[in-house]
Amino acid sequence: MRTTARLVRPRALIAGLLVTAALAGCSAAGAADGPEPGGDASRYGYDESTATLTPVYELVPQFNDPRDGYARDLLAQECLQGVVEYRPAEPGGEPTLFDARTGQARFDEQIAQQWGYPHLRSEPARGSGVPDGVEVTSAMQDAMIACGQRTDERLGAVPARYLSTVEAAGWEAVDGDARVQEAIQAWRTCMEPAGVVDLPERPVEMPSESVTGPIGDADGMVVDTEVPMSDREREVAVIDARCRAEGYDEAVFHARVEGELAAIGRDVEGFEATRDDYLEYQKRIDAVINELG
């Protein structure tokens, strides 16, 4: 299943404290220039027809590898001994609602039937971090920050900046893509039987207020991930997932692929250097897991 909805699961406070400077420079800055047509897929053997992820993830398997988080958990556990109990969670058992690497919501008819709209729900935690019920004091937070800095010194900077820029270029290609615009119109037609009176312009803006009631803040952002699912939400979500699968999901994926490959083609040397950097970075991740895992 491809994940195309650009909805990212919220990160826990403690995880944010432990991953400090390493990710500070990994924004998508620098992707302002729109993607150009083309992109050298054959150079790296990327095949869109068989790929389940976009080029940055398929061609650099170390990018956003969950083992990175596991290594950081192990270092946190060691560093926080005597301060607070910290439990690492070994990667494995792919989450149902969110892709473990991309953080994007999964959405198909089966998920819609069980969960409605995934970004309104949260799956049971897998046990990483400080146990429930432990009050995290300011002293503990200070220790976590210090441990995060020690982790950064041990592992070095995550070489994700360039790939984050490439990934952003893929997303920027979506809005201006003619095939995506055609797919959106087809989706709107397909959604007519659902009877959504306030059907939004784009699928990514679902669900609308008539389906769930008011659930967002003043800016329309969903802040509650425990919204009760109604029969109406389930009904609309299933139709929505079916309609997206008739062409919208594929069109978005294709636009992202083209945008990423174009960005890579504009700086092949930077891409290859980043891949080399990730190979070295992964060696440090593996060394921590072999030592402490």
Side-chain angles (χ1 to χ4, degrees):
M1 182 201 319
R2 290 172 176 172
T3 54
T4 56
R6 197 177 188 183
L7 298 166
V8 181
R9 187 174 191 168
R11 298 182 67 88
L13 168 64
I14 292 172
L17 291 171
L18 290 171
V19 183
T20 54
L23 293 177
C26 298
S27 68
D33 294 334
E36 299 171 354
D40 190 359
S42 61
R43 177 191 296 269
Y44 301 106
Y46 181 82
D47 184 352
E48 182 182 342
S49 67
T50 59
T52 58
L53 296 173
T54 57
V56 286
Y57 291 100
E58 292 278 358
L59 301 180
V60 189
Q62 301 82 9
F63 180 48
N64 287 354
D65 184 349
R67 285 169 55 85
D68 186 324
Y70 179 48
R72 292 176 180 276
D73 275 354
L74 291 171
L75 290 170
Q77 181 185 49
E78 180 186 49
C79 183
L80 292 171
Q81 286 182 3
V83 178
V84 64
E85 181 182 3
Y86 192 91
R87 300 172 179 172
E90 186 172 359
E94 186 76 4
T96 302
L97 302 184
F98 294 83
D99 185 275
R101 288 185 66 198
T102 69
Q104 295 158 20
R106 301 177 182 274
F107 192 54
D108 59 17
E109 287 189 57
Q110 182 178 355
I111 288 176
Q113 181 67 38
Q114 181 177 356
W115 296 91
Y117 286 92
H119 63 287
L120 304 183
R121 316 276 106 80
S122 62
E123 294 177 276
R126 296 183 56 228
S128 173
V130 175
D132 292 339
V134 175
E135 181 181 356
V136 178
T137 66
S138 59
M140 290 178 185
Q141 290 185 8
D142 290 343
M144 291 174 184
I145 292 172
C147 287
Q149 293 170 342
R150 287 180 58 183
T151 294
D152 294 342
E153 294 170 1
R154 169 79 182 265
L155 296 178
V158 182
R161 180 192 297 270
Y162 174 85
L163 297 182
S164 296
T165 301
V166 172
E167 184 181 20
W171 282 113
E172 289 177 3
V174 171
D175 288 341
D177 187 84
R179 180 175 167 183
V180 172
Q181 296 306 314
E182 292 176 2
I184 289 175
Q185 294 308 310
W187 170 82
R188 291 181 60 82
T189 300
C190 180
M191 286 292 291
E192 288 177 0
V196 180
V197 296
D198 54 350
L199 187 71
E201 291 297 317
R202 303 181 301 163
V204 293
E205 297 170 2
M206 285 292 286
S208 55
E209 188 168 313
S210 71
V211 177
T212 60
I215 57 175
D217 58 18
D219 297 321
M221 299 297 294
V222 175
V223 294
D224 183 5
T225 57
E226 297 296 340
V227 178
M229 181 173 61
S230 65
D231 291 339
R232 174 60 172 161
E233 182 194 331
R234 188 196 311 274
E235 173 193 20
V236 172
V238 170
I239 297 173
D240 188 0
R242 184 182 307 135
C243 289
R244 295 189 199 197
E246 291 184 2
Y248 173 77
D249 288 344
E250 194 70 27
V252 170
F253 187 79
H254 175 74
R256 291 179 59 203
V257 168
E258 288 295 300
E260 289 187 11
L261 289 175
I264 291 170
R266 291 194 293 271
D267 185 8
V268 172
E269 290 184 0
F271 179 69
E272 293 182 348
T274 298
R275 292 215 299 177
D276 290 342
D277 289 344
Y278 254 112
L279 290 174
E280 293 303 313
Y281 180 75
Q282 191 66 35
K283 291 177 183 179
R284 297 192 289 273
I285 295 296
D286 292 341
V288 169
I289 294 174
N290 291 335
E291 175 188 342
L292 302 175

